[in-house]
Amino acid sequence: MKQITRDVVYIGADDADLDLFESQYIVPNGISYNSYLILDEQVAILDTVDRRCGAEWFAELEQALGGRRPDYLVVQHMEPDHSACIAEAMERYPALRLVATERALRMLPLYFESFDFEGRTQAVGEGDTLSLGAHTLQFHMAPMVHWPEVMVTYDRADRLLFSADAFGKFGVLSHDEDWACEARRYYFNICGKYGNQVQALLKKASKLDIAKICPLHGPVLEENLGYYVGLYDTWSRYEAETEGVLVAYASIHGGTAEAAEMLAGMLDAKGAGKIAVADLSRCDMAEAIEDAFRMNRMVLAAASYDGGLFPPMLDFLHHLQSKGFRNRRVALIENGSWAPSAGREMAALLDTMKDIERVTPVVTIRGRMKQSDLGALEALADALLA
Ligand code: FEO
């Protein structure tokens, strides 16, 4: 429990030993499910937590309530990492009313088939308000940040923006670490596809006087808010944040890896900026996705396989495709001992993405890199940086 302002308390939970968030993202430092309580003439809970932390959350809530009863449960997002405890909360507190978007209310039976919400819900739309006494909550729709039913909530009294998944981050609150690193990995993997919708939310937020941002994951942002909003603006415009190159390779026996490392060294020597190298067979895929969006240039190096593309690269490109990757300059290296096919496959997938500038020609390695390949690699590095 942590005091955010005089009347607003953090009652979320740290999930430190979760193996994979959304059953796909490695979270070395866990994740927090944030929930807040506003104690005014009337009492409002903002979101619940994942069922893994339900018991802890109810205990925190009871303690923060100090014997009072909550009047409203504001549900900003129906994804189960925040909505899992809704029915149990409604059961425990019979006078509790659920406030959410029309679309969120329609989703309730998907998750709580046997619970009867009849007469206990209140739909809100863009600009609607809810007075708790001194605090007036103002609701703003944020569809597809990150599901269609999402809204954010602005507390006029304390100038707090409860921002749902926006401005969230991997990592428990008890672990002190740089915000941008894990917030960026979270953003591109979870909201990356929805840049336009994030832009729409930023536009709405720019009209509000915000003192603190209270997201559903990660720390409450209290100072220098322009820094966080600026990063979100860059990310959601699909602009590169960092001058640099991601060199991502998928290598079977090390020949492709050798070429990729060699090219990374050449790029570094030529002053390409930050260089990140990802072994797609072994690295955290979510981190490679993050770096692809972060840098302004990318090199893909892959082995040919079964007349196509070595699967770790295929997987990476499918991830980029589904996250709406765009607006970058990309160079390709393929390897093939008898019939190189990786370059063709990578190019075809990149060509389905928006505003990708492919550097030509593709450099072809046969088996292991030879002295005679160095010239082609140098030329590729120059062409990528041109
Ligand atoms: Fe943190 Fe989209 O749920």
Side-chain angles (χ1 to χ4, degrees):
M1 204 162 75
K2 183 190 167 207
Q3 214 70 34
I4 305 298
T5 62
R6 193 193 61 188
D7 301 335
V8 180
V9 187
Y10 174 85
I11 53 166
D14 272 357
D15 191 352
D17 56 7
L18 181 66
D19 60 344
L20 294 171
F21 180 65
E22 286 188 1
S23 297
Q24 58 174 327
Y25 301 115
I26 297 164
V27 279
N29 299 312
I31 192 155
S32 69
Y33 313 114
N34 298 350
S35 167
Y36 304 89
L37 186 68
I38 305 178
L39 292 148
D40 198 345
E41 285 167 32
Q42 294 199 293
V43 176
I45 305 166
L46 282 96
D47 293 298
T48 76
V49 296
D50 191 277
R51 67 178 173 177
R52 287 168 53 86
C53 298
E56 181 187 336
W57 179 73
F58 277 110
E60 283 279 294
L61 172 61
E62 271 299 301
Q63 198 190 342
L65 283 167
R68 296 185 66 183
R69 286 280 169 261
D71 299 282
Y72 297 103
L73 170 58
V74 176
V75 172
Q76 303 184 103
H77 185 14
M78 277 299 294
E79 192 166 10
D81 52 330
H82 310 293
S83 68
C85 303
I86 289 177
E88 193 178 339
M90 299 293 278
E91 240 162 37
R92 285 190 186 211
Y93 306 109
L96 192 63
R97 279 180 76 76
L98 193 156
V99 178
T101 62
E102 192 74 61
R103 191 138 190 186
L105 297 182
R106 286 204 302 273
M107 283 182 170
L108 286 170
L110 306 182
Y111 295 98
F112 308 105
E113 188 193 10
S114 56
F115 191 86
D116 184 9
F117 289 93
E118 186 62 34
R120 297 185 61 190
T121 62
Q122 185 173 329
V124 289
E126 179 64 33
D128 285 354
T129 57
L130 175 70
S131 175
L132 304 174
H135 294 258
T136 296
L137 302 182
Q138 183 176 308
F139 304 107
H140 295 283
M141 304 300 102
M144 298 320 298
V145 184
H146 130 243
W147 277 18
E149 84 299 354
V150 171
M151 67 174 185
V152 300
T153 305
Y154 179 65
D155 173 7
R156 288 180 186 170
D158 290 346
R159 299 183 292 127
L160 305 177
L161 179 69
F162 297 94
S163 60
D165 273 343
F167 298 97
K169 165 186 168 297
F170 295 127
V172 293
L173 300 190
S174 55
H175 180 81
D176 190 24
E177 63 184 353
D178 175 57
W179 183 85
C181 184
E182 283 295 70
R184 189 190 298 107
R185 190 169 70 95
Y186 175 92
Y187 174 82
F188 284 116
N189 285 280
I190 288 171
C191 300
K193 184 177 178 185
Y194 308 113
N196 292 342
Q197 292 85 345
V198 172
Q199 278 287 310
L201 175 59
L202 291 180
K203 204 167 159 195
K204 288 180 187 181
S206 71
K207 297 190 180 109
L208 304 170
D209 177 16
I210 300 167
K212 297 181 186 186
I213 297 175
C214 305
L216 284 177
H217 302 284
V220 171
L221 307 175
E222 307 191 336
E223 283 166 11
N224 197 12
L225 297 188
Y227 166 72
Y228 305 103
V229 172
L231 282 178
Y232 253 63
D233 187 41
T234 302
W235 298 343
S236 55
R237 285 179 193 277
Y238 299 97
E239 284 171 4
E241 177 190 341
T242 304
E243 174 83 19
V245 187
L246 167 67
V247 179
Y249 67 82
S251 182
I252 305 171
H253 297 294
T256 308
E258 199 174 52
E261 295 281 4
M262 178 67 76
L263 184 67
M266 290 174 178
L267 288 165
D268 195 27
K270 290 176 190 293
K274 186 176 172 61
I275 308 288
V277 178
D279 172 359
L280 296 174
S281 299
R282 294 171 181 82
C283 72
D284 169 15
M285 185 62 79
E287 187 138 357
I289 301 292
E290 174 198 344
D291 281 336
F293 278 97
R294 177 182 186 170
M295 317 291 191
N296 58 334
R297 295 181 174 93
M298 180 166 75
V299 175
L300 300 179
S304 303
Y305 193 83
D306 285 343
L309 183 57
F310 188 42
M313 180 60 78
L314 195 59
D315 190 26
F316 180 57
L317 282 164
H318 282 154
H319 273 83
L320 287 181
Q321 208 176 28
S322 78
K323 297 301 168 193
F325 184 72
R326 67 189 69 172
N327 194 30
R328 296 291 185 277
R329 197 166 160 81
V330 185
L332 302 176
I333 301 172
E334 66 175 354
N335 194 349
S337 302
W338 64 94
S341 50
R344 182 188 68 224
E345 298 284 322
M346 288 189 285
L349 278 161
L350 286 166
D351 288 347
T352 66
M353 302 175 203
K354 230 173 146 182
D355 301 326
I356 296 293
E357 193 186 344
R358 269 199 299 114
V359 173
T360 51
V362 173
V363 169
T364 302
I365 305 292
R366 311 297 298 256
R368 309 295 299 200
M369 227 183 62
K370 329 251 170 341
Q371 270 303 114
S372 55
D373 293 323
L374 288 176
L377 278 188
E378 282 281 355
L380 190 70
D382 288 336
L384 182 66
L385 299 180

